[in-house]
Amino acid sequence: MTDTIDHAETAEVLDRLVIRFAGDSGDGMQLTGDRFTSVSASFGNDLSTFPDFPAEIRAPAGTVNGVSSFQVQISDHDITTPGDEPNVLIAMNPAALKADLHRLEQGGTLIVNTDAFDERNLEKAEYYSNPLEDGTVTGYRVLRVPMTTMTKDACAPHGVKQRDAERSKNFFALGLVSFMYSRPIEPTLEWISEKFAKNEQVVAANTAAFKAGFNFGETTEMVGQRYEVKPATLPAGEYTSITGNTALAWGLIAAGQLADLPVTLGSYPITPASDILHELSKHKNFGVRTVQAEDEIAAVGVALGASFAGHLGVTTTSGPGVALKSETISLAVSIELPMIIIDIQRGGPSTGLPTKTEASDLNLAIYGRHGEAQLPVVATKSPADCFDAAIEAARIALKYRTPVILLSDGYIANGSEPWKLPDISTYEKIAVPFATETNGTDSEGRDVFHPYLRDPDTLARPWAIPGTPGLMHRVGGLEKQDVTGNVNYTPDNHARMGELRADKVAGVARDYGATEIMGDEDADVCIVGWGSTWAAIDSAVQRTRRTGTKVAWVHIRHVFPLPSDLGDILRRYKRVIVPELNRGQLCNMLRASYLVDAQPLSKVAGLPFSAREIQHAIMEGGQS
Amino acid sequence: MSDTAVTLTTKKDWASDQEVRWCPGCGDYGILQAVQQVMPELGVAPENTVFVSGIGCSSRFPYYMNTYGMHSIHGRAPAIATGVATARPDLDVWVITGDGDGLSIGGNHLIHALRRNVNLTILMFNNRIYGLTKGQYSPTSYVGKVTKSTPFGSIDPPFNPLSVALGAEASFVARTHDLDRQHMMETFKAAHAHRGASFVEIYQNCNVFNDGQFNDITKRSVRDDMMINLVHGEPITFGSEVAKGVSMGDDGTLRIVNVDDVGIDNILVHDKHHHSPSLAFALARLNQDDSSPTPFGVFRAVERPEYSSEVSAQLARASEKSGAPDMDALLRSNGTWVVD
Ligand SMILES: Cc1ncc(C[n+]2csc(CCOP(=O)(O)OP(=O)(O)O)c2C)c(N)n1
Ligand code: SF4
Ligand SMILES: [Mg+2]
């Protein structure tokens, strides 16, 4: 960073800090959190974020349902989670206090905007006495700051209207914590001027508010000790801060480039997947076509049609959308064409908790189709990992000519982390050999094309795309005769085709390589994780090992078909614990597949695991 | 649409080697014949042609065409075909659907394909029955229709497929029937030539579950009085003995009149290019009561931006503006920092 931080010498050094910004949906908490994150990222901290949105877009202002929070952990070492308990909570109104105070660590710092604690707001938050006065906040270090008033005062000399000035109070809060935690200020000032360039008044107001917050911290005694989190010693390289959904979109674009195939996305908006549609829609110069379809069924239809025509067909959605797409995915299994179905899981069943995270679609992904319709399922584990996961899904789909489901979740989708940019030139190309010639002869000795004559190694069928002379053929959902692809209902053929389809998918596991056992291979306990639990498991495993207890950990990227060495690995351990944001879906699979006594550690609360919950299960053998 | 001037094919080149398996006497045979016969006249190549269908007797159609084809799932053909056409605007994409497939389970996809004006030629085989599932009433069956699922007669009013298509902003709407191969061929040719979504309703006889459904209209003995052949730019007339025509009353509704009574100048002149769909809509509904004649031919054919061309144009503009794909630049587009 170019700018120096005043008084940095006097700051006490922390190795990590968890801070949570909470306010009404209209208070700009996501923006504030994002800014704090960006500044920390470019300062060189490692970090992980957890935006926590209200379920309703327009929940009544001032109510607990309308609270929008953003939690970020910054540290001077490698971290994967946004932290279990915030050290600092910024509560912009009573509702935010009500929603989030219980998360704050004992003795933690609570910064409240006292101006918002009037009778009306207390009532809306269903507080019957003022929590700042009735003992609710004892046990915390409370900074009472009249942020609204001070923001208005700071803006007044710049001719900003009172009402407009009030909107800048989140920048006051940001300025204050920027002082308290020694964040560089220049990047934020520059960012304000750029972001709001179209409106001078807004630039003036936000700048004034930000500086006022910073100066308030500096000049009043209230803040006390100032803190600092030094840059992390991350591996050398060029970094960007990335959310899961952006990484996924970029991974899909990269997959198209690596395969030299145009990408066509069919999608219907749904939280928390829509941002992938938004992101892909921006990059048409990569040859990416996006169709916002009339529903999820049409969206997957568009993707499948595009695949039939020789594109990489992709569809993005969340659980309710996957349910609608199910019939078309079965068709894709039957006609054996590549396609990627992305499920950004959220709390269910039904509309459930659209803005909250869960990993309860595993069964849906693996089993949720009619007939024997196996397909590979790939799971991503973190925001940055989405990039490689998307490429992996594409590689499998294209090589085996099969639909592939890629599972992410709301926590990964909206969370962000620093990502060391990969060198794209080192990625292996994805070969897509379209069929160009006939591959058989008919009874009269004429050259013909057999659309179901498989590659002996992969069992993939040839992919002949429209426009190729001489290879015209028909595919469809009716059972096809082995080799010729003609409609065929005979028992033996159906049995054989079912077996071939299943064997083909099972064969995908040959490409995985040996399963990595992290932690202590010789431990008694093995954690088996998949998906976004990676972050909490990582912290839990590190902490457990620091206490001297051994623990092994396997994290599964390919949840179907499972790695072929997994059974042998799991049988070596006395205890196998499977933390999942569902009621034990992978755990049941492991028990069924390997007859091991795997134990579930379930959490279905719309929230990610905390590292402590997992550590507790490892140490105590307890259930959460 | 292939740019190559003329591709020389014969009807035989368009037939696949698969045995056709509709019930003997089914109207679908005549439609298949008409399509296979008209293809060589379109100057396109089988390898650049794709037939996508849903599920139903009619939807078996692609198996019999020596082209690329997909017999997909019930109702979804317009969506899948939208994917094919959007990915590959160079292809000729046809959709084969039935009254159940296209108007019941797949009604949503049909209207949106028409609204978007995707370059598809959509042939809807309307036999006013669910043929494949052995004879339940369909969304085009008339009130009172007795079928296996309506032993006391159907109580839900039917759709008029052309009204639906016009309401969905279809840019090309036509009607033909399975007994007139020449008329089918002309209609298919016009539908194929239209850039955008073309919707063709084909009255099709299901001789097993709904035999004679269109007898009162298309049988030779009644045709002249019960069918109107729409000709662009010509007064809308018909009639065997007395010359009859269609005129517009003071209240804006269409009525059947004797030409001699009102004079030929007062007979409506068909204008398939009219910017307003009102006349086409009124004509499509002329036969809402069974006694009125049914118009056939092209009701509407107007130019509208075509979806896949627009998608391609946006891609081209993006390339012009942002240049060639550059993955390294994309990864850096949100700002980066360097850790030494
Ligand atoms: C999802 C689904 N639901 C129901 C069916 C059963 N089904 C197949 S075809 C059909 C109706 C076909 O009627 P129509 O589209 O008019 O075609 P026709 O057979 O009359 O040509 C039905 C209900 C199915 N194949 N798939
Ligand atoms: S059931 Fe009817 S529509 Fe189906 S093939 Fe037989 S006659 Fe034709
Ligand atoms: Mg029908």
Side-chain angles (χ1 to χ4, degrees), chain A residues 41 236-240 283-285 289 292 294-295 297 302 309 311 328 465-468 473-477 486, chain B residues 18 47-48 62 65 67-71 73 76 83 86-88 108-109 112 116 314 323 330 332 335-337 339:
Chain A
E238 192 179 4
Y239 283 76
T240 191
H283 301 294
K284 298 195 192 304
N285 65 317
R289 287 164 175 78
Q292 183 178 313
E294 56 272 20
D295 61 22
I297 303 175
V302 165
H311 282 209
T328 311
I465 63 168
T468 318
H473 65 281
R474 278 64 54 195
V475 293
N486 293 331
Chain B
Q18 297 298 295
E47 65 261 26
N48 295 327
M65 295 296 298
T67 63
Y68 285 89
M70 191 193 299
H71 176 222
I73 48 177
R76 319 301 173 195
T86 306
R88 295 280 304 277
N108 197 27
H109 309 306
H112 287 281
R116 291 194 183 95
Q314 280 198 340
L330 176 64
R332 284 159 183 80
T336 64
W337 69 93
V339 174

Side-chain angles (χ1 to χ4, degrees), chain B residues 98-100 125 127-131:
Chain B
D99 43 318
F125 295 29
N127 53 13
R128 295 185 183 157
I129 200 83
Y130 286 180

Side-chain angles (χ1 to χ4, degrees), chain A residues 48-51 53 80 82 242-248 272-273 275-276 342-346 355-359 378-387 389 406-417 530-536 555 557 581 608:
Chain A
S48 173
T49 69
F50 178 39
F53 307 108
T80 50
I242 192 114
T243 68
N245 275 350
T246 306
L248 240 177
D275 280 341
I276 308 174
I342 293 169
D343 178 1
I344 314 294
Q345 302 164 94
R346 63 188 216 184
T355 60
K356 308 289 172 188
T357 202
E358 208 161 282
V378 174
T380 174
K381 63 181 186 186
S382 79
D385 178 60
C386 286
F387 185 79
L406 171 53
L407 292 174
S408 173
D409 64 31
Y411 175 64
I412 293 176
N414 294 318
S416 61
E417 63 181 346
W530 69 278
S532 68
T533 52
W534 178 75
H555 208 77
R557 146 100 62 225
L581 298 177

Side-chain angles (χ1 to χ4, degrees), chain B residues 12-265:
Chain B
K12 228 178 75 236
D13 295 319
W14 293 87
S16 78
D17 60 358
Q18 297 298 295
E19 189 192 337
V20 184
R21 294 220 182 131
W22 288 304
C23 305
C26 175
D28 291 352
Y29 283 95
I31 305 172
L32 178 65
Q33 289 294 323
V35 172
Q36 288 176 344
Q37 191 170 335
V38 84
M39 295 311 283
E41 296 181 23
L42 305 181
V44 295
E47 65 261 26
N48 295 327
T49 305
V50 181
F51 277 83
V52 182
S53 65
I55 298 292
C57 296
S58 35
S59 286
R60 295 292 172 94
F61 196 95
Y63 289 120
Y64 309 132
M65 295 296 298
N66 183 31
T67 63
Y68 285 89
M70 191 193 299
H71 176 222
S72 74
I73 48 177
H74 202 18
R76 319 301 173 195
I80 293 169
T82 295
V84 177
T86 306
R88 295 280 304 277
D90 59 309
L91 299 172
D92 253 350
V93 186
W94 298 67
V95 171
I96 305 293
T97 183
D99 43 318
D101 191 67
L103 287 175
S104 195
I105 191 165
N108 197 27
H109 309 306
L110 179 69
I111 58 175
H112 287 281
L114 295 173
R115 168 179 72 87
R116 291 194 183 95
N117 204 29
V118 188
N119 194 28
L120 304 173
T121 308
I122 304 170
L123 308 185
M124 172 180 283
F125 295 29
N126 183 8
N127 53 13
R128 295 185 183 157
I129 200 83
Y130 286 180
L132 191 74
T133 45
K134 303 199 169 133
Q136 300 82 7
Y137 77 117
S138 91
T140 57
S141 300
Y142 281 165
V143 172
K145 180 78 190 169
V146 173
T147 71
K148 281 183 192 150
S149 58
T150 50
F152 303 107
S154 150
I155 53 172
D156 32 324
F159 265 144
N160 176 322
L162 297 193
S163 299
V164 174
L166 288 162
E169 307 293 341
S171 59
F172 183 101
V173 174
R175 183 189 279 142
T176 182
H177 68 101
D178 60 1
L179 293 178
D180 189 341
R181 188 180 305 181
Q182 217 49 49
H183 191 266
M184 281 192 283
M185 285 170 59
E186 271 167 38
T187 311
F188 299 159
K189 213 170 172 171
H192 171 267
H194 178 76
R195 180 97 195 145
S198 322
F199 179 82
V200 181
E201 178 191 20
I202 309 165
Y203 280 0
Q204 174 243 324
N205 192 38
C206 168
N207 55 307
V208 173
F209 296 110
N210 207 14
D211 194 25
Q213 179 66 198
F214 304 104
N215 276 358
D216 292 345
I217 305 165
T218 57
K219 241 179 42 198
R220 259 171 223 291
S221 53
V222 298
R223 256 185 214 183
D224 288 347
D225 287 308
M226 293 308 288
M227 290 179 62
I228 301 174
N229 188 24
L230 296 173
V231 182
H232 178 69
E234 300 276 323
I236 304 170
T237 58
F238 65 104
S240 50
E241 269 136 45
V242 206
K244 291 191 210 143
V246 177
S247 79
M248 191 177 283
D250 294 337
D251 62 354
T253 57
L254 299 190
R255 54 190 62 175
I256 306 297
V257 293
N258 287 336
V259 176
D260 285 347
D261 294 348
V262 298
I264 191 76
D265 291 347

Side-chain angles (χ1 to χ4, degrees), chain A residues 5-336:
Chain A
I5 305 160
D6 293 335
H7 313 297
E9 330 68 76
T10 64
E12 186 179 314
V13 175
L14 301 172
D15 64 344
R16 59 187 193 92
L17 169 74
V18 180
I19 183 162
R20 188 172 178 101
F21 299 89
D24 192 65
S25 306
D27 286 342
M29 291 297 98
Q30 302 300 326
L31 190 78
T32 312
D34 265 342
R35 252 343 280 166
F36 190 84
T37 304
S38 296
V39 166
S40 301
S42 45
F43 181 66
N45 296 124
D46 195 12
L47 55 85
S48 173
T49 69
F50 178 39
D52 198 1
F53 307 108
E56 283 119 47
I57 304 287
R58 302 233 183 283
T63 63
V64 172
N65 281 339
V67 172
S68 177
S69 306
F70 188 102
Q71 184 167 321
V72 53
Q73 171 163 222
I74 59 173
S75 84
D76 68 359
H77 57 276
D78 191 10
I79 50 157
T80 50
T81 78
D84 291 0
E85 292 175 338
N87 313 113
V88 184
L89 172 67
I90 292 112
M92 299 301 284
N93 67 1
L97 186 72
K98 182 147 219 182
D100 284 343
L101 182 65
H102 68 97
R103 299 175 204 272
L104 185 61
E105 69 171 359
Q106 274 308 310
T109 301
L110 171 67
I111 306 172
V112 286
N113 174 17
T114 49
D115 288 332
F117 282 68
D118 59 15
E119 214 165 292
R120 254 186 72 224
N121 280 335
L122 289 170
E123 199 174 300
K124 281 195 217 154
E126 295 179 27
Y127 272 126
Y128 301 105
S129 62
N130 189 339
L132 302 181
E133 283 150 22
D134 66 3
T136 305
V137 299
T138 36
Y140 303 100
R141 193 166 80 93
V142 187
L143 270 57
R144 296 157 199 264
V145 188
M147 295 191 205
T148 314
T149 317
M150 290 204 287
T151 303
K152 282 183 187 164
D153 292 349
C155 290
H158 300 277
V160 180
K161 279 194 223 100
Q162 292 266 313
R163 258 215 5 249
D164 294 344
E166 186 185 338
R167 287 209 205 107
S168 296
K169 62 181 183 294
N170 58 326
F171 281 92
F172 184 95
L174 183 62
L176 177 57
V177 294
S178 295
F179 171 78
M180 291 171 66
Y181 299 98
S182 314
R183 301 290 92 188
I185 60 171
E186 281 309 319
T188 297
L189 292 174
E190 269 167 37
W191 177 86
I192 291 174
S193 327
E194 261 172 47
K195 166 97 183 174
F196 304 105
K198 285 204 187 104
N199 193 332
E200 273 174 42
Q201 282 275 301
V202 177
V203 173
N206 288 344
T207 305
F210 179 74
K211 286 186 177 164
F214 193 91
N215 295 338
F216 173 80
E218 193 169 31
T219 49
T220 60
E221 296 283 290
M222 188 189 274
V223 166
Q225 181 59 47
R226 204 175 175 207
Y227 296 95
E228 182 187 7
V229 180
K230 295 263 191 231
T233 44
L234 296 173
E238 192 179 4
Y239 283 76
T240 191
S241 174
I242 192 114
T243 68
N245 275 350
T246 306
L248 240 177
W250 291 0
L252 291 169
I253 295 173
Q257 297 288 304
L258 290 169
D260 207 5
L261 277 189
V263 173
T264 292
L265 172 78
S267 189
Y268 188 76
I270 185 168
T271 304
S274 304
D275 280 341
I276 308 174
L277 165 65
H278 304 161
E279 182 65 24
L280 282 172
S281 301
K282 287 196 253 176
H283 301 294
K284 298 195 192 304
N285 65 317
F286 282 85
V288 178
R289 287 164 175 78
T290 53
V291 177
Q292 183 178 313
E294 56 272 20
D295 61 22
E296 279 88 351
I297 303 175
V300 67
V302 165
L304 186 59
S307 288
F308 181 72
H311 282 209
L312 177 57
V314 182
T315 188
T316 49
T317 189
S318 187
V322 176
L324 285 171
K325 292 173 200 288
S326 168
E327 190 192 7
T328 311
I329 301 172
S330 285
L331 174 65
V333 168
S334 172
I335 64 180
E336 301 189 43

